[in-house]
């Protein structure tokens, strides 16, 4: 990996008021038209632009973002990357993403800090252990790595957890995915943005799409706060605002938007070197490279677009944390925030044609789309470039809500949404 900046140049730029930095990505005035417009400058939108250029040679492409890159869920998430799902369709999707993450820093020539520190999903009773065994078997059959651990094996990996038999939910064992881990959220967005920009893609920030331009029932461009921009084809990757965007094209999506909250503590010395999740407590956590504990839980119970934290969820998630690891009771909380996530009835994403000509969708990732960013981008790029599904995205077409071929991961692997 190469760097343009030596330690000396960093020092010199500090003294010069940082006037010598090259821009990491371009900041153009939008052209009147592009071959492809991607709405949403989160991880999925930026990855789509990058793979349009890399896999399909399409560079007359614009990413249009209403705020700043990664300012949506990509910059608000707890960065867990894993592929421990149940159905073969899900493993094909999420393990593809995991494999892309494994080579991503090299591919983008930018360190996305993917740390394969493994993930423990705790179980707390014999019936839960049976469900965990079923999941491990399914993952292994579907080609993802998974192991079933005893309580003693869990203790060896994460001794700070509460192994008391008097705990509210005593630890019985865990599912372990060794290749899972965490990445650096901003770096994923920035890495894709830099690489897409270098390939010739226009990255347009502070530009909101306010409507679609439709001709003869086909989407042929977008109206934005920076004017009209026409396009051969449009892709939308706007997460919590997917229903809003779809409505502009006269579509109603089977999506409900909720706030999902997360927390980070003050920095402490290393206490855990893996990701630990207890579905029973509804809490998961890991430790960032800076030392802060990155803590998450379940969805707010009421649908909303309120992108902020609240005290009831803080109490529920942190009570779970302290029960999982009582020694963390005195750690101080540093920050608390929320993002708006888009949840489908079967807790799997929608990737495919929208039902209106010229508009393709990548949405419905709910609480778990950070881990899928490289695959989501790859698959939407394939759709936009060829007009056809990639074999991995085909089962995730929105028509499954008409045919009934759901991929119900909430029921199968017990994911939180
Ligand atoms: P976003 O990053 O939200 O990007 C969409 C962009 O579209 C936004 O920047 C927005 O400003 C823009 N936009 C919206 N409307 C318009 C418009 N009209 N015009 C122009 N631009 C528009 N996933 C995991 O895999 N692991 C986790 O540990 C995890 N933890 C999470 C924790 C929290 C608290 C939250 C909120 C989410 C978490 N997720 C996690 C989910 C994950 O963050 C998302 O699924 C993923 O980031 C979605 O990426 P995206 O690019 O689709 O959306």
């Amino acid at each position: 990996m190469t760097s343009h900046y030596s330690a000396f140049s960093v020092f010199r730029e500090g003294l010069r008021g940082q006037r010598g930095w090259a821009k990491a990505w371009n900041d153009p005035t939008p052209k009147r038209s592009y071959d492809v417009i991607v709405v949403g400058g989160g991880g999925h939108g930026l990855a789509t632009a990058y793979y349009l250029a890399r896999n399909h040679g399409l560079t007359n492409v614009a990413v249009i973002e209403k705020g700043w890159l990664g300012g949506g869920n990509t910059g608000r998430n707890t960065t867990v990357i894993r592929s421990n799902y149940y159905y073969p369709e899900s493993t094909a999707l999420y393990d593809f993403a995991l494999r892309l993450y494994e080579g991503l820093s090299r591919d983008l020539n930018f360190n996305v800090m993917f740390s394969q520190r493994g993930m423990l999903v705790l179980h707390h009773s014999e019936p839960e252990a049976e469900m965990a065994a079923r999941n491990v078997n399914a993952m292994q059959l579907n080609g993802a790595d998974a192991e079933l651990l005893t309580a003693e094996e869990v203790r060896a990996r994460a001794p700070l957890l509460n192994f008391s038999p008097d705990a509210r939910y005593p630890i019985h064992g865990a599912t372990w995915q060794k290749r899972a881990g965490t990445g650096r959220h901003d770096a994923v967005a920035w890495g894709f943005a830099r690489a897409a920009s270098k390939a010739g893609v226009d990255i347009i920030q502070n530009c909101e799409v306010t409507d679609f331009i439709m001709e003869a029932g086909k989407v042929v461009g977008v109206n934005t706060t920076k004017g009209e921009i026409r396009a051969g084809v449009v892709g939308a990757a706007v997460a919590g605002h997917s229903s809003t965007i779809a409505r502009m094209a006269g579509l109603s999506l089977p999506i409900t938007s909720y706030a999902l909250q997360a927390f980070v503590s003050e920095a402490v010395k290393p206490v855990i070197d893996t990701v630990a999740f207890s579905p029973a407590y509804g809490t998961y956590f890991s430790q960032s490279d800076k030392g802060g504990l990155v803590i998450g839980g379940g969805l707010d119970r009421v649908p909303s677009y309120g992108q902020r934290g609240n005290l009831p969820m803080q109490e529920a998630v942190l009570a779970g944390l302290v029960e999982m690891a009582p020694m963390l009771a005195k750690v101080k909380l540093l920050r608390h925030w929320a993002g708006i996530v888009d949840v489908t009835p079967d807790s799997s994403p929608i990737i495919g044609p929208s039902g209106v000509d010229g508009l393709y969708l990548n949405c419905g990732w709910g609480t778990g789309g950070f881990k899928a960013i490289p695959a989501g981008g790859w698959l939407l790029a394939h759709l936009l470039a060829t007009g056809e599904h990639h074999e991995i995205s085909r089962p995730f077409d929105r028509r499954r809500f008409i045919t009934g071929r759901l991929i119900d991961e909430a029921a199968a692997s017990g994911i939180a949404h």
Side-chain angles (χ1 to χ4, degrees):
M1 201 167 286
T2 58
S3 166
H4 301 296
Y5 305 110
S6 64
F8 176 71
S9 72
V10 170
F11 180 67
R12 192 185 56 211
E13 283 306 319
L15 292 178
R16 288 170 38 157
Q18 302 183 18
R19 280 174 288 117
W21 298 122
K23 280 196 161 69
W25 48 81
N26 60 17
D27 182 23
T29 305
K31 292 193 259 182
R32 290 172 61 86
S33 85
Y34 292 90
D35 293 338
V36 185
I37 284 179
V38 181
V39 188
H44 283 273
L46 293 163
T48 302
Y50 170 67
Y51 290 118
L52 276 168
R54 196 196 94 153
N55 295 356
H56 305 281
L58 286 173
T59 55
N60 186 22
V61 172
V63 176
I64 301 187
E65 165 55 49
K66 72 174 175 185
W68 65 96
L69 300 188
N73 291 341
T74 299
R76 294 166 188 271
N77 85 96
T78 46
T79 79
V80 180
I81 297 168
R82 59 189 170 86
S83 66
N84 50 358
Y85 287 78
Y86 181 74
Y87 287 109
E89 295 88 341
S90 306
T91 306
L93 174 64
Y94 292 105
D95 211 66
F96 177 46
L98 184 47
R99 277 179 272 125
L100 288 173
Y101 262 118
E102 285 172 336
L104 199 59
S105 294
R106 184 176 295 273
D107 189 14
L108 299 178
N109 190 24
F110 192 73
N111 189 358
V112 300
M113 295 169 72
F114 180 35
S115 156
Q116 289 181 289
R117 58 185 66 186
M119 178 170 184
L120 294 164
V121 181
L122 302 175
H123 50 259
H124 302 275
S125 65
E126 196 53 42
E128 280 184 24
E130 284 178 23
M131 291 303 285
R134 170 178 169 271
N135 247 12
V136 165
N137 289 340
M139 285 172 64
Q140 289 178 350
L141 283 171
N142 294 334
D145 67 301
E147 284 171 56
L148 210 52
L149 303 186
T150 64
E152 277 314 303
E153 289 168 329
V154 176
R155 190 197 295 269
R157 295 196 187 279
L160 92 161
L161 295 178
N162 185 2
F163 291 89
S164 163
D166 299 329
R168 181 149 67 114
Y169 301 114
I171 293 175
H172 187 283
T175 304
W176 168 247
Q177 188 176 29
K178 192 176 171 200
R179 288 164 60 239
T182 57
R184 171 78 200 166
H185 44 16
D186 293 328
V188 171
W190 297 340
F192 276 118
R194 282 165 47 112
S197 172
K198 197 168 171 211
V201 168
D202 279 0
I203 310 253
I204 300 162
Q205 300 183 76
N206 298 312
C207 179
E208 181 170 357
V209 170
T210 53
D211 209 349
F212 289 109
I213 307 169
M214 313 268 295
E215 284 175 4
K218 183 176 188 294
V219 168
V220 293
V222 291
N223 286 313
T224 77
T225 45
K226 293 189 177 176
E228 178 182 305
I229 314 174
R230 298 181 80 87
V233 65
V234 176
V238 295
H241 294 90
S242 304
S243 310
T244 319
I245 280 279
R247 214 172 299 127
M248 294 176 190
L251 289 165
S252 169
L253 293 180
I255 278 184
T256 312
S257 295
Y258 296 89
L260 177 65
Q261 304 183 36
F263 313 81
V264 71
S265 78
E266 62 181 333
V268 291
K269 287 190 174 170
V271 290
I272 184 161
D273 62 359
T274 183
V275 182
F277 172 38
S278 164
Y281 288 120
T283 300
Y284 63 92
F285 68 103
S286 64
Q287 188 165 18
S288 78
D289 295 340
K290 281 193 291 189
L293 296 165
V294 181
I295 308 152
L299 290 169
D300 277 19
R301 292 188 188 276
V302 185
S304 90
Y305 288 97
Q307 201 166 250
R308 58 183 171 268
N310 58 49
L311 290 174
M313 188 53 77
Q314 180 168 334
E315 188 176 14
V317 174
L318 298 182
L321 177 76
V322 172
E323 287 179 292
M324 282 174 81
M327 68 169 269
L328 300 178
K330 289 191 175 166
V331 171
K332 293 188 183 65
L333 205 61
L334 203 62
R335 286 193 306 277
H336 173 196
W337 65 92
I340 311 302
V341 299
D342 47 345
V343 178
T344 62
D346 65 354
S347 304
S348 288
I350 297 173
I351 315 170
S354 67
V356 172
D357 269 2
L359 178 64
Y360 293 82
L361 300 173
N362 162 329
C363 60
W365 297 99
T367 62
F370 178 71
K371 69 173 78 67
I373 281 173
W378 185 293
L379 299 171
L380 182 59
H382 185 94
L383 278 153
L384 291 165
T386 66
E388 300 289 333
H389 266 296
H390 187 286
E391 60 181 286
I392 294 178
S393 65
R394 197 177 305 280
F396 296 93
D397 192 284
R398 74 181 172 92
R399 277 173 303 189
R400 73 181 184 276
F401 298 107
I402 299 165
T403 62
R405 285 188 67 87
L406 303 185
I407 307 167
D408 194 342
E409 283 293 345
S413 62
I415 55 171
H417 58 267

